Amino acid sequence: MVQPAKPLAGVKVLELGTLIAGPFCTRILAEFGAEVIKVESPDGGDPLRQWRKLHEGTSLWWSVQARNKRSFTANLKDPDGLAAVRKLAAEADIVVENFRPGVLEKLGLGWDVLSAANPGLVMVRLSGFGQTGPYKDRPGFGAIGESMGGLRYITGFPDRPPVRTGISIGDSIAALWAAIGALMALRHREVNGGAGQVVDVALYEAVFAMMESMVPEFDVAGFVRERTGNVMPGITPSNTHTTRDGRHIIIGGNGDAIFKRLMNAIGRADLADDASLGNNAGRDARADELYAAIDAWVREHDGDAVLAAMEAAQVPASAVLSVADMFKDAQFIARDMFEQVNLPGGQPMKIPGIVPKLSDTPGSTEWLGPKLGEHTDEILASLGYAPQEIAALREKGAV
């Protein structure tokens, strides 16, 4: 059976990013069929190659973050290296970059230059604070975006300083907005007959856009959302509870009908039938009482029994899973959320499955993160460089 083309087959993407935000954006595009050429410095390449746990000198993270990408090395300080990158940009549908604003302009790779040679180009620009405004020249990582965008302020417990999530969530959120923006701009060009355009993603704005009702609640009611620990603020009951055997279980009983089922499941028919608890406002006013009741019941049972009771009562619940738990979880396995691959030396390794799942044109892993400059020669040849020209570029350190 012939597999249908992936949805982004034929789309050419040039990646000028490093680390997380830009490369995660292009990873998504590559997983669904885009040809992604990642430009790296010949001197070590993307620093992510050396981040966190290494296998034979290369990051395991790199295997996933750069899957399906082609690695092209170019010295952006060399005129010939820059010329090769300009040729690639002239053929690209999308350029993704996450330099500080102004860096590409100094290199002669700014929007004015690239779009003049390629009027249909979509240029995705990720930065800490965006391409305009008084903060645009400041450096900004995901942690800074999370702090300025409001996420850090509300994360943690009220009696302690703000805490971070366990991953660089600000970078990843920005990458998702960048991928969405790139595809919207591409559709405008292809369906509406529009020209190329710039997609400007600021990390702090990407986080800020996820902050639910924070803005109108402050503007209209003067309400400032604060840290509330594991409790979902203003929506009751939704909390984390600890079982007799020390497992942590999230229980979300905040729907009116769900709340009744939850209370009956824990033997509190009196609360299930209490008319004053029939809506969220009434439950939120008595949040401490309700959480005490749920806590008392959960700590008298082991985790499996709690989860079984919640499933029987059709109450949303989950254990807080570690990655070790995920490897054994039936839902992860059934949904193919772990792919089996082999590292370059042959060692088997599991990597995350592709998200989202498309019924007819799913994404897939074609290869793991490439070696530094693995595709440089063939890409240069595709641009019309002769073998002796490629050798000369290598000799002078341009690629």
Side-chain angles (χ1 to χ4, degrees):
M1 179 179 176
V2 177
Q3 292 296 319
K6 292 184 182 179
L8 298 181
V11 175
K12 294 186 177 182
V13 180
L14 185 65
E15 181 199 307
L16 300 175
T18 60
L19 299 177
I20 303 176
F24 186 29
C25 168
T26 57
R27 165 188 155 183
I28 297 167
L29 304 179
E31 289 169 347
F32 288 92
E35 177 191 358
V36 176
I37 297 176
K38 180 178 179 65
V39 177
E40 300 185 77
S41 167
D43 184 19
D46 190 331
L48 191 77
R49 289 177 175 272
Q50 300 299 313
W51 274 26
R52 297 191 61 79
K53 302 295 184 181
L54 306 184
H55 174 78
E56 297 183 355
T58 300
S59 166
L60 292 170
W61 188 359
W62 170 258
S63 299
V64 178
Q65 188 79 321
R67 62 179 163 189
N68 299 357
K69 300 181 186 180
R70 303 167 76 195
S71 174
F72 178 85
T73 51
N75 181 356
L76 298 184
K77 297 179 181 179
D78 184 284
D80 291 329
L82 278 172
V85 172
R86 286 196 194 96
K87 288 184 179 181
L88 287 172
E91 296 183 350
D93 295 292
I94 302 169
V95 169
V96 177
E97 66 96 6
N98 63 346
F99 290 101
R100 201 184 307 184
V103 170
L104 283 191
E105 284 71 15
K106 291 178 182 177
L107 291 170
L109 297 173
W111 168 248
D112 291 346
V113 173
L114 299 187
S115 63
N118 183 356
L121 181 67
V122 172
M123 189 171 192
V124 181
R125 313 197 71 170
L126 295 107
S127 61
F129 303 97
Q131 301 298 311
T132 60
Y135 298 173
K136 69 180 179 66
D137 295 324
R138 296 182 182 181
F141 287 129
I144 308 306
E146 294 161 29
S147 300
M148 185 169 170
L151 181 60
R152 293 288 181 104
Y153 185 83
I154 64 168
T155 303
F157 287 85
D159 60 340
R160 303 175 210 174
V163 299
R164 72 184 296 272
T165 58
I167 59 170
S168 300
I169 191 71
D171 287 300
S172 300
I173 290 172
L176 292 171
W177 284 121
I180 293 169
L183 296 177
M184 288 192 291
L186 200 62
R187 188 183 191 281
H188 173 65
R189 189 192 79 184
E190 295 179 350
V191 176
N192 300 331
Q197 60 183 301
V198 173
V199 178
D200 182 358
V201 180
L203 268 65
Y204 86 94
E205 291 170 355
V207 173
F208 176 73
M210 308 297 289
M211 297 305 294
E212 299 178 349
S213 58
M214 183 180 73
V215 167
E217 287 177 351
F218 174 73
D219 190 48
V220 175
F223 177 77
V224 177
R225 186 180 292 196
E226 302 285 349
R227 293 182 291 285
T228 56
N230 291 321
V231 173
M232 184 180 290
I235 303 173
T236 304
S238 182
N239 203 350
T240 304
H241 309 274
T242 303
T243 65
R244 181 169 59 190
D245 55 351
R247 296 175 70 188
H248 303 297
I249 307 289
I250 307 290
I251 297 176
N254 43 283
D256 295 350
I258 296 172
F259 171 74
K260 287 181 175 291
R261 297 198 297 269
L262 171 58
M263 291 299 103
N264 284 318
I266 69 172
R268 294 300 304 268
D270 58 317
L271 297 175
D273 297 334
D274 188 332
S276 69
L277 299 174
N279 57 48
N280 182 70
R283 293 190 294 272
D284 199 48
R286 294 168 61 183
D288 290 346
E289 175 189 355
L290 296 179
Y291 286 132
I294 301 168
D295 276 336
W297 181 83
V298 170
R299 66 173 170 259
E300 293 177 354
H301 300 79
D302 289 344
D304 288 345
V306 171
L307 292 171
M310 294 301 102
E311 183 176 0
Q314 298 184 51
V315 173
S318 173
V320 178
L321 301 185
S322 70
V323 67
D325 298 324
M326 295 172 191
F327 265 54
K328 299 177 291 184
D329 187 86
Q331 184 69 13
F332 276 85
I333 295 168
R335 297 273 294 174
D336 296 323
M337 286 314 300
F338 300 107
E339 294 184 24
Q340 185 73 46
V341 297
N342 291 314
L343 287 164
Q347 179 176 335
M349 176 178 71
K350 287 186 172 65
I351 60 174
I354 306 291
V355 178
K357 298 184 181 301
L358 275 63
S359 61
D360 292 338
T361 56
S364 64
T365 301
E366 304 301 327
W367 62 85
L368 300 181
K371 295 178 181 178
L372 181 62
E374 181 175 336
H375 305 96
T376 300
D377 285 11
E378 65 182 70
I379 291 171
L380 286 171
S382 73
L383 292 174
Y385 287 83
Q388 60 270 24
E389 292 177 299
I390 297 173
L393 289 174
R394 286 195 176 281
E395 179 68 25
K396 67 174 296 197
V399 299

